[in-house]
Amino acid sequence: MKFDTPATTNPIDRLRVVGKPTDRIDGPLKTTGRAPYAYERHDVAPDAVYGYVVGATIAKGRIRSIDTHAARAAPGVLAVVTADNAGRLGKGKHNTARLLGGPQIEHYHQAIALVVAETFEQARAAAALVRVDYVRAHGRYDLARGKDAAVEPKSDPDTGAGDFDAAYAAAAVRLDATYTTPDQSHAMMEPHASIAAWNGDRLTLWTSNQMIHWSKQDMAMTLGIAEDKVRLDSPYIGGGFGGKLFLRADALLAALGARAVRRPVKVALQRPLIFNNTTHRPATIQRLRIGCRQDGTIEAIAHESWSGDLPGGSPEVATQQSRWLYAGPHRKTALRLATLDLPEGNAMRAPGEAPGMLALEVAMDEMAEKLGIDPVEFRVLNDTQVDPEKPERPFSRRSLVECLRTGAERFGWQRRAARPAQVREGRWWIGLGMAAAYRNNLVMTSGARVRLDRRGIVTVETDMTDIGTGSYTIIAQTAAEMMGVPLERVVVRLGDSNFPVSAGSGGQWGANSSTAGVYAACTKLREAVARRLDLDPDAATFEDGIVRAGDRRIALAEAAQDAELVAEDRIEFGDLAERYRQATFGAHFVEVGVDAWTAEIRVRRMLAVCAAGRILNPKSARSQVIGAMTMGVGGALMEELAIDRRFGFFVNHDLAGYEVPVHADIPYQDVVFLDETDPISSPMKAKGVGELGICGVGAAVANAIHNAVGVRVRDYPITLDKLIAQIPRIDK
Amino acid sequence: MPDEPAVKFTRREMLIAGAVSVTASGLPCAVAAADALSTPATPAPVNAEVTFRVNGRDRTLTLDTRTTLLDALREHLQLTGTKKGCDHGQCGACTVIADGRRINACLSLAVMHQGGSITTIEGLGTPDALHRMQRAFVERDGYQCGYCTPGQICSAVAVLDEIDAGIPSHVSADLSAAPQPTPDELRERMSGNLCRCGAYSNILEAITDVAKERT
Amino acid sequence: MRAFTYERASSPAQAAEKAARTPGARFIAGGTNLLDLMKLEIETPTHLIDVNGLELDRIEDAGDGGLRIGALVRNTDLAAHPRVRRDYAVLARALLSGASGQLRNRATTAGNLLQRTRCPYFYDTAQPCNKRLPGSGCAALQGVSRQHAVIGVGDACIATHPSDMAVAMRLLDATVETVRPDGTTRRIAIADVHRLPGDRPQVETVLAPGELVTAVVLPAPLGGRHVYRKVRDRASYAFALVSVAAVVQRDGSGRVALGGVAPKPWRVEAAESELPRSAGAVTERLLAGARPTAHNAFKLTLVERTLGAVLAEAGAQA
């Protein structure tokens, strides 16, 4: 199905199942521990043996020699896989560094060996016996130092309109501020894990992966085998946040290990290895310049961002939202990419906007303060309904102002003291902060297969993944709505590369695109059902398990009495994304307390108002938003991969050292979805919310801290050591 | 070169680092000079028999003494509901209830539980007969990816028992008063269970639902 | 983790004797620190002596109004004990601020005292660390050191002792009781249990090989206001940046000890005479001779502020 004209009325609009806050259909399995994750497939690989990964302990250089004698001689050891014996390996399209290093080492904890043994304990002990002699090379580990040599990336050229420099120079009120955001880790709870088994020249990989098709292709490319020889199965994924978008070392090494020992091999990346071995969100240095008229109208806005990556890597696109969030005739954005020898940078939840909004939305707060305008009003004043770079291109649907107004009202924004450091409750300075939320709406081709059996059960098959996003449930809701059956009559099977290729889970495109693909397949199935029942496909309606056309009413299951009906299709998006700017919008409001003695920061209240098209399941969508808000609090207040700039690695490489929020950090979170649909986006009229919730929330926290104590920290995370010398003292 | 490490790895230090990896260290990550050291003797695994009760059923296993309670459950008894998130006591995904108390199964050897009694997520309820806490998590959407969920639920069940037993917490204002299942108390007590999906706010509501019914 | 043999001890003296005579032996109780380190091969025992069955899990009156705490009393049980809550609230508070509920249910009194540092360079076996590998250097000195110690440090090591419980015990002048391999017992003042690193940071306590902690004895209660204030980035389940334990009497006199700033629980009795004056005056003497790094110099300010908060809280209680 081609989607190239805005959606009109369709069966989804009935909203008998879609749009309801249904409990997740996978809930009973997950809450009872019966949902099998990648490492737990005793059912399909009962005889699997254990792999343990050895990581490089230099950041850059080469292996002079690697001695695996002792490891191979250790009890229970079946094989030690290294680059020396792994055979010729290619590199996946989505990988920057090699997944199995050696002799060249590209980053710290790059995998250099897999020890395979009969038991986990044996593999772990033997891995400690692998001895490596390295030749260290000089590496670049400091973004600030690499900044001046950073280049304009071909993939992301500078953008602009009007004459920024002149307009900025002439502006009545100017802000020029620089912000830094640190490297961050996805830190999903389930480590990257895979079980690999070979049957002749065919590889099956039970794994934990967000993008089945990408990783199937990349596995074939890396091993140098045909794509159709590789099968991936990933029905349950213990979190990803972008960290499992790609083929990673667990999968490749499990495959190599299984080939070497001719038995299934299971590999989970050890937690202390994950932070340096896998990808991370790159640090940025961002400069914002905003020039306004005295009345607060933005005349000129520029956003520049520097980030680093390994050779061949890509930039963190932190300037993205600044092209479209606010009006202003004179504007520019620029990304600069430095070469660094730190581990591979790549996408993490809302790449671009998540760090970009941390800078832009604090700059907006600072500018509002300079202008003496309320921060909400300043944003409202500079709203735009068209792409500021191409005014002829409208937004498909843009309710930013309504989000801001709704949020301000609901949060009690009018009680905020405009002057900082005015409100204290006991030992706590109290501050309110807000920020806009913005995240692009991306759409991706997505396929599905739908089956109808003689019992009237509808089964959906797609390689779409559920990484906690609720895909199982919203896909079931979509199929139930389309086929006119209750949710209990729908079975959803996900994550298997034998199923049609879907959009996968990334960039918050999954919910809208994958359900649109199911919509397309169900549309075909409805046609097949109507034909089988001799009904007019255009006139047939599907409701309550009955197909109706004119005065005829036939049970849906009738259509499959002789043979199962199967339909497959995919949604393909035309040029609506070019003709219209598509994005999701929101507003974040946060109240913080800052301890007047110690400068400890605690979030006390949070509200997000979101406008993201039709909300397919308000319960799971709300969870996506509160989860993103939680990660945003982490980014604002504690998350930072600390770099040892001498040795070139992230020092705090475990879950004790890399702090993410705990229960005690997170207050009750309020979420409001504006009631809207976006027919430009897809037949579902939905957009994504999984990343919108993180975009801007950290800035709202930062702005609230400023409001509480009057200190502006432009270097994330905002920790007490950056405040303590400056907050107003209450004991003197 | 300005970027050279202040702590320089000289040849001699490389040998020392090598010694670390071979004699004293541990690695995921071994650094060593190949010519520096002789191959160490690798002790053979030691097996021991252990009997404990898991979800009401006596189980006897012969295990490598190094086997953690977590791996005994997941790999030997195939009770994979208990999760391995970090294997170092930093996430809480492996929380089980041992002899009435929640613990991290990753930081306990199986052989140390001889004669003990373990309840895992599988022992609380089944998909067709959910434990009240499991049902509350479903109703409140107190989970997303589901990986930390069994640990959260085991922890939550034990937390309510701890409050009933009068065990205070870091946020109890009065150490001598009977603690109550307030939001602050529950948040503090649940803080040993990380949820990166960020379902905390919903988990709190789920536990609160169950706590209200108990009083 | 290296393979090891395993036995369950039958008595404290037998355990100590066996440990001293068995190369590579270690006691295991809660296991929450030892197993963590064994998985990384930072600790590589070849024989484990499980002391959990030794019935050292009682809390009883010590006779002189004090309290004898068995070495195997779990952190949860110690914090919840009625007398600890009533008479040694600073200890209950310190315990409850540490780790998580799950860990406190396993972790023991002796294990908590003897736990090792959380320095990330100590934990990464590819990095130089004089504590883990004497003579290899200290990577933290010029590395990432925001969490590290500011006082009591040397050129060989700037790691902190991570315990909260031990800070309160130091404040309370606890005594550690041990049994030695020859069967004799001894009592060690808590102040003397932990060593400063000097040029031998690998030696962390004065305990002899095989010597087994059997109990910690608290002297008679001090009365006064008990406060334990732990400062950290996230609200729970994190080690202290700085912690302050204090007992303050009505007249403003009292005691104070610090965590998160030194290789051992940090107390300077001489500084306590300044308590009635100001937090600043106490801090000045507590931290005299401090040697912070660029990353952790903020701890000097933070100690003063936290102590200020503690004194304000104690004053408000009075």
Side-chain angles (χ1 to χ4, degrees):
Chain A
M1 179 184 286
K2 188 100 173 164
F3 182 74
D4 50 12
T5 54
T8 53
T9 301
N10 67 42
I12 298 295
D13 293 325
R14 293 179 300 183
L15 298 181
R16 293 170 65 129
V17 192
V18 169
K20 296 278 187 287
T22 311
D23 289 347
R24 288 173 201 249
I25 62 171
D26 47 338
L29 288 178
K30 283 182 173 173
T31 55
T32 59
R34 266 76 169 186
Y37 293 79
Y39 198 78
E40 302 167 353
R41 301 301 300 271
H42 295 289
D43 57 331
V44 291
D47 56 342
V49 291
Y50 295 79
Y52 199 90
V53 181
V54 179
T57 58
I58 62 168
K60 188 175 166 67
R62 65 182 171 83
I63 295 173
R64 184 184 288 126
S65 67
I66 181 164
D67 179 355
T68 62
H69 282 89
R72 279 184 286 133
V77 171
L78 302 169
V80 179
V81 176
T82 67
D84 289 341
N85 62 16
R88 216 181 128 88
L89 294 175
K91 198 175 77 175
K93 199 170 114 190
H94 297 91
N95 295 125
T96 305
R98 287 175 177 274
L99 298 177
L100 176 60
Q104 291 305 315
I105 299 300
E106 294 159 283
H107 63 86
Y108 199 76
H109 281 178
Q110 184 175 30
I112 54 169
L114 181 79
V115 177
V116 183
E118 292 283 352
T119 72
F120 173 70
E121 292 75 22
Q122 291 167 339
R124 180 177 56 195
L129 302 174
V130 173
R131 289 193 271 140
V132 189
D133 185 14
Y134 295 102
V135 181
R136 275 172 196 269
H138 174 74
R140 295 149 290 186
Y141 311 122
D142 191 337
L143 175 61
R145 281 175 134 176
K147 186 170 172 259
D148 292 341
V151 299
E152 179 179 357
K154 285 202 180 71
S155 57
D156 299 274
D158 297 354
T159 70
D163 182 348
F164 171 79
D165 291 331
Y168 180 74
V173 184
R174 287 193 295 265
L175 175 84
D176 182 348
T178 297
Y179 306 85
T180 62
T181 65
D183 298 281
Q184 294 178 341
S185 184
H186 311 83
M188 72 297 284
M189 297 312 300
E190 181 204 23
H192 302 71
S194 298
I195 303 178
W198 290 88
N199 183 359
D201 61 354
R202 292 179 174 277
L203 170 68
T204 303
L205 195 73
W206 295 277
T207 190
S208 183
N209 192 285
Q210 301 173 228
M211 297 293 291
I212 299 301
H213 191 61
W214 287 4
S215 297
K216 173 182 161 142
Q217 290 177 316
D218 275 354
M219 179 63 100
M221 193 184 277
T222 307
L223 292 175
I225 63 177
E227 233 182 86
D228 62 5
K229 303 287 190 196
V230 178
R231 178 184 162 226
L232 263 67
D233 187 27
S234 194
Y236 294 99
I237 297 136
F241 315 112
K244 293 176 182 167
L245 286 169
F246 318 113
L247 184 75
R248 297 301 316 167
D250 58 302
L252 176 64
L253 290 173
L256 294 173
R259 189 158 71 182
V261 304
R262 299 173 183 280
R263 283 172 70 178
V265 169
K266 54 202 281 185
V267 177
L269 295 186
Q270 305 92 258
R271 182 60 70 177
L273 204 64
I274 290 178
F275 297 80
N276 285 283
N277 174 274
T278 68
T279 60
H280 67 279
R281 188 201 300 283
T284 64
I285 300 169
Q286 301 180 49
R287 182 184 187 199
L288 259 299
R289 280 174 290 168
I290 304 174
C292 282
R293 289 194 219 150
Q294 205 66 55
D295 67 2
T297 312
I298 295 175
E299 278 293 312
I301 180 166
H303 191 167
E304 298 155 274
S305 175
W306 291 260
S307 62
D309 202 357
L310 290 166
S314 51
E316 178 69 28
V317 291
T319 57
Q320 188 158 264
Q321 71 291 323
S322 301
R323 299 173 63 187
W324 302 301
L325 187 46
Y326 298 113
H330 306 285
R331 51 202 308 127
K332 71 176 184 182
T333 74
L335 294 169
R336 293 294 178 268
L337 178 62
T339 302
L340 294 180
D341 298 297
L342 290 169
E344 180 172 335
N346 217 313
M348 177 170 147
R349 200 172 199 166
E353 280 98 326
M357 293 290 279
L358 286 175
L360 174 64
E361 286 299 286
V362 173
M364 288 295 286
D365 199 66
E366 296 199 47
M367 193 60 173
E369 191 184 22
K370 275 190 176 225
L371 291 161
I373 301 179
D374 179 88
V376 171
E377 295 308 320
F378 180 48
R379 287 168 172 88
V380 169
L381 185 63
N382 288 290
D383 185 42
T384 173
Q385 290 294 318
V386 297
D387 179 344
E389 289 178 5
K390 292 182 195 154
E392 67 282 8
R393 182 194 195 197
F395 278 90
S396 63
R397 182 90 207 230
R398 178 174 165 125
S399 312
L400 175 63
V401 171
E402 199 182 342
C403 290
L404 293 164
R405 295 260 188 249
T406 304
E409 168 75 25
R410 190 178 175 98
F411 200 68
W413 181 252
Q414 76 283 358
R415 291 199 298 272
R416 169 181 177 266
R419 216 150 65 83
Q422 299 301 301
V423 182
R424 192 154 65 81
E425 287 177 18
R427 63 181 170 101
W428 296 99
W429 289 108
I430 309 298
L432 302 189
M434 59 78 55
Y438 176 96
R439 172 67 175 155
N440 276 335
N441 183 59
L442 304 172
V443 288
M444 299 273 276
T445 302
S446 195
R449 184 156 57 221
V450 195
R451 302 172 182 276
L452 174 69
D453 73 10
R454 54 189 306 167
R455 298 164 300 159
I457 301 287
V458 176
T459 300
V460 184
E461 297 172 341
T462 163
D463 84 354
M464 180 61 191
T465 49
D466 189 330
I467 59 174
T469 37
S471 308
Y472 275 107
T473 309
I474 57 173
I475 284 173
Q477 288 175 280
T478 302
E481 193 78 76
M482 288 299 289
M483 301 312 297
V485 298
L487 202 58
E488 302 74 49
R489 310 291 285 171
V490 180
V491 173
V492 180
R493 301 172 67 199
L494 300 181
D496 188 332
S497 64
N498 286 342
F499 298 153
V501 175
S502 73
S505 299
Q508 83 169 9
W509 62 61
N512 180 46
S513 298
S514 72
T515 53
V518 173
Y519 171 94
C522 286
T523 301
K524 265 202 176 167
L525 183 62
R526 286 163 61 111
E527 288 163 11
V529 166
R531 276 198 305 276
R532 179 66 58 88
L533 297 176
D534 231 359
L535 301 172
D536 174 5
D538 293 331
T541 60
F542 292 68
E543 252 176 50
D544 302 324
I546 305 289
V547 191
R548 215 185 318 227
D551 53 1
R552 295 185 61 200
R553 301 173 79 251
I554 308 173
L556 177 66
E558 280 294 312
Q561 282 316 296
D562 298 335
E564 183 187 51
L565 286 183
V566 184
E568 183 176 330
D569 200 3
R570 55 185 190 169
I571 191 88
E572 293 174 274
F573 295 90
D575 65 351
L576 287 173
E578 282 79 58
R579 281 156 53 201
Y580 297 86
R581 181 88 232 136
Q582 295 187 24
T584 58
F585 299 89
H588 286 288
F589 291 82
V590 170
E591 177 181 311
V592 302
V594 178
D595 190 296
W597 292 97
T598 63
E600 287 164 285
I601 305 152
R602 301 289 180 254
V603 177
R604 295 155 56 102
R605 285 198 299 142
M606 302 183 84
L607 164 66
V609 181
C610 302
R614 172 174 284 149
I615 300 302
L616 302 174
N617 180 330
K619 183 178 273 194
S620 57
R622 181 179 174 280
S623 286
Q624 283 289 288
V625 176
I626 66 169
M629 290 159 77
T630 301
M631 197 178 274
V633 169
L637 298 181
M638 61 191 82
E639 291 183 38
E640 173 176 20
L641 288 165
I643 303 167
D644 188 309
R645 293 192 164 80
R646 304 162 302 170
F647 303 138
F649 73 110
F650 301 132
V651 173
N652 49 340
H653 54 70
D654 61 24
L655 285 172
Y658 185 82
E659 290 187 7
V660 300
V662 297
H663 275 275
D665 291 302
I666 302 301
Y668 174 74
Q669 294 166 317
D670 191 12
V671 179
V672 175
F673 293 110
L674 296 188
D675 187 13
E676 70 168 33
T677 54
D678 190 339
I680 311 287
S681 172
S682 85
M684 302 302 293
K685 305 174 186 171
K687 293 188 271 199
V689 295
E691 299 187 333
L692 179 64
I694 197 175
C695 299
V697 67
V701 172
N703 294 337
I705 292 168
H706 176 260
N707 184 243
V709 293
V711 181
R712 189 69 79 174
V713 176
R714 300 183 183 85
D715 172 29
Y716 291 97
I718 305 175
T719 45
L720 61 91
D721 47 308
K722 298 171 188 172
L723 289 176
I724 191 157
Q726 297 176 69
I727 60 172
R729 294 193 69 149
I730 59 171
D731 57 335
K732 290 199 169 162
Chain B
M1 274 182 294
D3 280 357
E4 275 302 284
V7 178
K8 285 209 173 191
F9 279 86
T10 63
R11 179 72 179 157
R12 194 186 72 82
E13 284 162 342
M14 285 293 285
L15 300 191
I16 292 168
V20 180
S21 70
V22 181
T23 62
S25 93
L27 298 191
C29 35
V31 182
D35 57 348
L37 297 144
S38 58
T39 301
T42 49
V46 179
N47 288 320
E49 193 180 271
V50 60
T51 299
F52 44 60
R53 227 174 151 72
V54 180
N55 300 328
R57 188 171 151 205
D58 285 325
R59 309 297 295 255
T60 298
L61 297 170
T62 300
L63 298 172
D64 188 317
T65 51
R66 292 171 290 186
T67 310
T68 59
L69 176 60
L70 176 61
D71 286 326
L73 293 169
R74 282 170 61 84
E75 304 303 326
H76 296 267
L77 297 176
Q78 303 193 2
L79 290 169
T80 54
T82 308
K83 304 304 184 193
K84 186 183 281 191
C86 71
D87 216 16
H88 288 276
Q90 301 165 352
C91 78
C94 65
T95 302
V96 298
I97 301 170
D99 303 315
R101 292 222 167 156
R102 56 182 173 142
I103 67 167
N104 293 331
C106 74
L107 289 186
S108 208
L109 293 172
V111 292
M112 291 163 67
H113 290 272
Q114 173 64 32
S117 174
I118 315 294
T119 300
T120 70
I121 190 70
E122 290 93 343
L124 290 180
T126 64
D128 296 326
L130 297 176
H131 183 278
R132 179 65 189 96
M133 191 65 79
Q134 291 167 328
R135 185 156 58 83
F137 270 62
V138 173
E139 290 166 354
R140 291 292 189 165
D141 214 37
Y143 58 94
Q144 291 177 38
C145 79
Y147 200 77
C148 74
T149 311
Q152 299 276 357
I153 291 173
C154 284
S155 206
V157 167
V159 158
L160 294 185
D161 289 342
E162 287 167 16
I163 291 174
D164 284 351
I167 294 170
S169 88
H170 170 60
V171 299
S172 304
D174 180 353
L175 280 181
S176 53
Q180 302 298 316
T182 62
D184 279 350
E185 281 282 359
L186 294 174
R187 285 188 190 110
E188 162 58 23
R189 290 166 192 266
M190 290 298 295
S191 285
N193 291 86
L194 304 186
C195 170
R196 186 59 162 161
C197 295
Y200 295 135
S201 182
N202 288 354
I203 291 171
L204 182 79
E205 293 187 12
I207 302 172
T208 302
D209 286 350
V210 179
K212 278 184 182 152
E213 291 170 17
R214 285 160 64 111
T215 52
Chain C
M1 189 186 294
R2 305 284 183 82
F4 56 83
T5 46
Y6 170 86
E7 70 170 289
R8 297 186 183 93
S10 56
S11 75
Q14 176 268 333
E17 186 272 330
K18 182 68 183 285
R21 122 174 108 74
T22 312
R26 279 273 198 289
F27 303 121
I28 187 164
T32 51
N33 190 214
L34 183 61
L35 288 171
D36 176 25
L37 296 171
M38 285 170 65
K39 289 178 183 190
L40 299 168
E41 292 199 11
I42 295 165
E43 294 272 10
T44 54
T46 52
H47 183 68
L48 283 188
I49 301 171
D50 183 343
V51 296
N52 282 295
L54 291 185
E55 301 189 341
L56 299 172
D57 55 356
R58 305 208 179 105
I59 301 175
E60 51 204 11
D61 286 343
D64 54 353
L67 205 61
R68 172 174 283 102
I69 303 157
L72 292 170
V73 172
R74 310 286 159 172
N75 287 177
T76 298
D77 295 316
L78 183 54
H81 191 271
R83 276 212 57 200
V84 175
R85 285 152 81 170
R86 190 188 69 204
D87 296 336
Y88 307 97
V90 66
L91 175 58
R93 292 277 180 209
L95 283 159
L96 294 169
S97 74
S100 67
Q102 291 94 313
L103 291 164
R104 292 193 297 271
N105 279 340
R106 282 301 280 177
T108 63
T109 305
N112 188 317
L113 271 184
L114 301 178
Q115 68 181 297
R116 308 199 67 192
T117 186
R118 309 300 298 203
C119 171
Y121 295 101
F122 174 73
Y123 264 77
D124 187 332
T125 48
Q127 298 302 321
C129 170
N130 289 321
K131 189 184 278 297
R132 177 168 33 74
L133 185 74
S136 60
C138 173
L141 257 179
Q142 289 169 347
V144 174
S145 58
R146 180 171 179 266
Q147 288 276 350
H148 288 73
V150 295
I151 188 131
V153 297
D155 291 334
C157 183
I158 58 169
T160 59
H161 190 269
S163 171
D164 293 294
M165 182 198 79
V167 178
M169 287 185 165
R170 174 71 181 89
L171 184 84
L172 295 169
D173 273 337
T175 302
V176 174
E177 296 185 347
T178 70
V179 58
R180 285 183 284 200
D182 63 4
T184 59
T185 60
R186 69 163 166 161
R187 296 165 59 94
I188 312 166
I190 183 92
D192 300 329
V193 170
H194 298 99
R195 289 182 71 258
L196 290 180
D199 55 5
R200 288 195 307 151
Q202 71 276 21
V203 183
E204 294 166 2
T205 70
V206 298
L207 298 183
E211 188 168 6
L212 177 70
V213 175
T214 53
V216 177
V217 179
L218 303 180
L222 295 169
R225 304 295 172 186
H226 289 224
V227 182
Y228 188 80
R229 183 70 191 275
K230 180 173 182 177
V231 181
R232 44 192 162 176
D233 293 317
R234 70 180 179 191
S236 188
Y237 200 19
F239 293 95
L241 290 168
V242 159
S243 70
V244 174
V247 172
V248 182
Q249 306 297 337
R250 275 177 188 283
D251 63 3
S253 68
R255 300 181 181 185
V256 60
L258 305 178
V261 297
K264 60 187 284 188
W266 195 252
R267 185 173 168 207
V268 177
E269 280 84 343
E272 291 165 1
S273 61
E274 305 284 356
L275 270 172
R277 257 185 74 204
S278 73
V282 180
T283 303
E284 204 170 298
R285 294 190 62 176
L286 265 174
L287 298 182
R291 280 181 48 188
T293 67
H295 291 184
N296 66 19
F298 74 93
K299 287 190 176 188
L300 305 185
T301 311
L302 187 57
V303 166
E304 187 204 332
R305 297 293 182 86
T306 309
L307 182 56
V310 164
L311 296 180
E313 185 182 337
Q317 281 179 25

